[in-house]
Amino acid sequence: MQIQKPKGTYDLTPKEAFQRTYLENFIRKVFDNYNYREIRTPTFENTKLFKRSIGEETDIVSKEMYTFNEDEFTLKPEMTAPVIRAYVENRMFNDAPLQKLYYISNMYRRERPQAGRYREFSQFGAESIGSADVTSDAEMIFLADAILKGLGLVNYKIRLNTIGTLAERGIFISALKEYLTDFTEELSNDSKRRLEKNPLRILDSKDAADLRILENAPVLTHYLNDSTKMHFEKLLSILKELSNKIQVDPRLVRGFDYYTSTTFEFVTDTIGAQNALLGGGRYDMLAEQLGAKQTPAIGFAAGIERLEMALKAESVDIPKEKEIMLYICSAGESPREKVLGIINKLRAEGIKCDTDFLGRSVKSQMKEADRMKAKYVIVLGDEEINNDTAELKKMSDGSTLKIEGLEKIINYLNNEN
RNA sequence: GCGGGUAUAGCUCAGUAGGCAGAGCGUCAGAUUGUGGCUCUGAAUGUCACGGGUUCGAGCCCCGUUACUCGCCCCA
């Protein structure tokens, strides 16, 4: 009986895994360059952590969590809450007033899979904890842009907005609700539901009728006080070199409850309906909610699968697996048994090499060497073994070179590295 | 949770009117003793997703199920 992978999961076969690792390494390098340090947290957390931070009413918490042990634990659906939990639990605020952290990790959400959406998926992200200053907002967006741009992506936009403090947003939400209530009958079914649960989400609606109603709806910007507006203006001015990519969008809202002030989203039109490559914003109230003193913070998270889709859509080259330096063919049973000892010595010298394990013909072994893109091949038979010599064949042009002694082969190949 | 599409070899896919299960790629082997790529020859791999029904006969028609996929919702 054949068993299939769970819905919404995927395997990365060696070629794909190699590219994933390349991406991760690239991303780590950029984080490191910005002086962000890696943090790792458990795969599962106490369920309460997500209920408190993301919000009980959100879809993620109310119906998409992988919860077990009678609701005690949950596979993490996102990383901001775990990072802040770890920050508080490890008293990291005592190490330094500003902590700049990053992660690359798998997340779990029980959603219906579709293009760019998986039940187990991989995110990378950063959290800058401790500063309310606008320069932190700017660094976060520069950082996110540096990663996408550095990988070679061109076709994306940065949607940017401020959703104000909790107080400002509260007043706005009441006004919005009041306005929309007059149109309750004309709203889409989804928006009728959102009107009760999360009115801000209506701003994100794609429904044509909703959009028409929204044309005359209250605008969040008008409900923000001067300091919030000033913060946003300063941010735009620091980010002016990105201005060709930035689209200020007063209707950009985020799904999680903990966001305040600056929010942003990097979107592309090349990967289907799930077009957000990266999303983030400020969450100045979260650390306090999770037991620290009031601590401002900002962060983002990006989906690696979506990034891979975008790279593919834009035909960005990703390096291929490294070829092997040497393939040793053995001619006959007795040489074959000696070869393993030989390649073991070569490998100890850092030479990437391989040989045949199936007892195939020399011709087949040559084909194998070709498939592995070996730079050099040696065929060892009784004669070569007895005389400790080898004919080193360069696969690119077929030329051969007679070498005496294993030591000389090692020297020769090490010079090639 | 709701809606659309699809399901045939490892991969990409054909399969005519309901009448023998196919191609390309890949894999394996051979083409003068122990040398790759190009070419040629040959071979292996199938529960035609699964379960029912109609029929002399079903990959094809009908019903159901499952999986995958795309969209809504939600979000990275």
Side-chain angles (χ1 to χ4, degrees):
Chain A
M1 175 190 175
Q2 191 183 332
I3 297 174
Q4 293 180 296
K5 64 187 179 301
K7 187 195 283 284
T9 63
Y10 58 87
D11 301 311
L12 292 175
T13 53
K15 207 170 141 190
E16 298 157 333
F18 178 85
Q19 303 206 332
R20 171 66 63 89
T21 302
Y22 165 81
L23 281 184
E24 289 175 351
N25 289 342
F26 183 92
I27 290 162
R28 278 176 201 286
K29 219 170 68 194
V30 181
F31 278 136
D32 183 59
N33 215 18
Y34 277 67
N35 198 26
Y36 279 68
R37 297 152 75 213
E38 185 176 17
I39 185 163
R40 299 197 189 204
T41 68
T43 301
F44 61 96
E45 292 274 357
N46 208 302
T47 303
K48 288 193 195 103
L49 175 65
F50 302 114
K51 287 193 174 172
R52 284 206 193 136
S53 57
I54 301 173
E56 300 244 18
E57 290 302 311
T58 61
D59 279 19
I60 286 183
V61 170
S62 64
K63 54 189 198 202
E64 294 171 0
M65 301 225 288
Y66 282 104
T67 292
F68 57 99
N69 207 25
E70 295 181 357
D71 208 30
E72 186 180 8
F73 300 121
T74 293
L75 298 181
K76 58 189 174 192
E78 64 107 38
M79 262 305 264
T80 301
V83 168
I84 297 301
R85 193 227 82 230
Y87 169 86
V88 174
E89 193 162 341
N90 294 289
R91 301 288 183 263
M92 291 173 69
F93 38 79
N94 286 333
D95 294 342
L98 180 68
Q99 290 288 346
K100 303 206 297 182
L101 306 172
Y102 82 86
Y103 57 84
I104 301 178
S105 181
N106 286 3
M107 310 290 157
Y108 306 85
R109 293 181 198 172
R110 232 191 82 94
E111 299 180 276
R112 187 79 167 261
Q114 73 183 69
R117 191 169 73 187
Y118 299 91
R119 288 185 166 189
E120 179 178 37
F121 60 104
S122 191
Q123 285 190 336
F124 61 92
E127 315 289 350
S128 174
I129 308 164
S131 168
D133 194 77
V134 67
T135 50
S136 270
D137 304 46
E139 181 186 50
M140 195 56 68
I141 291 166
F142 275 136
L143 168 59
D145 182 67
I147 292 172
L148 300 196
K149 189 171 64 186
L151 282 168
L153 281 187
V154 175
N155 206 338
Y156 63 92
K157 294 289 177 196
I158 304 171
R159 300 174 67 207
L160 194 57
N161 189 25
T162 179
I163 58 172
T165 62
L166 271 180
E168 291 162 349
R169 195 157 73 242
I171 300 170
F172 168 70
I173 289 174
S174 327
L176 182 67
K177 240 173 146 170
E178 192 179 332
Y179 168 83
L180 289 172
T181 303
D182 293 343
F183 300 94
T184 306
E185 287 313 306
E186 298 158 53
L187 284 172
S188 67
N189 285 334
D190 284 324
S191 286
K192 276 181 195 136
R193 187 174 43 79
R194 287 187 280 223
L195 190 54
E196 291 312 310
K197 284 175 67 179
N198 192 351
L200 272 187
R201 272 266 147 224
I202 298 177
L203 298 179
D204 246 3
S205 179
K206 295 170 188 168
D207 183 84
D210 288 356
L211 287 170
R212 223 172 19 251
I213 295 167
L214 285 170
E215 276 172 23
N216 295 313
V219 177
L220 177 56
T221 322
H222 300 152
Y223 292 78
L224 303 176
N225 64 35
D226 287 346
S227 73
T228 301
K229 280 192 225 172
M230 187 73 84
H231 185 95
F232 194 61
E233 287 306 316
K234 277 188 195 159
L235 177 60
L236 286 176
S237 123
I238 298 173
L239 293 177
K240 64 175 177 292
E241 66 188 73
L242 299 179
S243 59
N244 57 335
K245 290 181 200 161
I246 289 179
Q247 302 174 332
V248 174
D249 182 354
R251 297 228 286 247
L252 173 68
V253 293
R254 301 222 49 80
F256 300 159
D257 282 1
Y258 52 64
Y259 283 112
T260 56
S261 182
T262 306
T263 58
F264 56 91
E265 207 171 79
F266 287 44
V267 295
T268 176
D269 55 11
T270 61
I271 60 169
Q274 305 302 312
N275 63 350
L277 292 170
L278 180 154
R282 216 167 234 300
Y283 49 93
D284 290 343
M285 314 306 291
L286 182 58
E288 195 175 1
Q289 258 181 63
L290 296 178
K293 61 177 199 275
Q294 213 262 313
T295 309
I298 184 165
F300 74 79
I304 292 187
E305 294 83 357
R306 291 183 189 178
L307 187 58
E308 286 170 339
M309 290 167 76
L311 289 168
K312 196 174 174 201
E314 294 194 26
S315 306
V316 173
D317 277 340
I318 295 175
K320 301 273 187 297
E321 291 176 75
K322 202 181 153 207
E323 69 279 5
I324 69 169
M325 177 60 73
L326 176 67
Y327 188 93
I328 299 185
C329 303
S330 43
E333 192 66 21
S334 139
R336 205 161 75 79
E337 287 164 11
K338 302 226 165 67
V339 160
L340 212 67
I342 295 171
I343 63 169
N344 206 38
K345 289 198 183 85
L346 292 166
R347 286 165 167 174
E349 295 295 325
I351 293 167
K352 181 171 175 177
C353 53
D354 213 339
T355 186
D356 173 67
F357 291 88
L358 300 173
R360 288 180 285 186
S361 67
V362 171
K363 187 189 183 81
S364 294
Q365 294 180 61
M366 286 300 293
K367 280 189 179 176
E368 185 67 48
D370 187 54
R371 183 169 23 222
M372 289 181 183
K373 305 233 183 324
K375 284 174 92 168
Y376 292 94
V377 169
I378 290 174
V379 179
L380 294 183
D382 288 321
E383 197 189 319
E384 287 88 350
I385 297 277
N386 292 336
N387 302 335
D388 194 23
T389 62
E391 201 167 65
L392 195 61
K393 177 169 181 173
K394 190 173 190 176
M395 292 295 269
S396 58
D397 58 12
S399 64
T400 59
L401 182 67
K402 202 150 195 142
I403 297 191
E404 298 200 2
L406 188 61
E407 290 305 315
K408 292 224 172 98
I409 295 174
I410 291 169
N411 285 341
Y412 185 86
L413 293 178
N414 269 335
N415 286 338
E416 287 291 293
N417 255 332

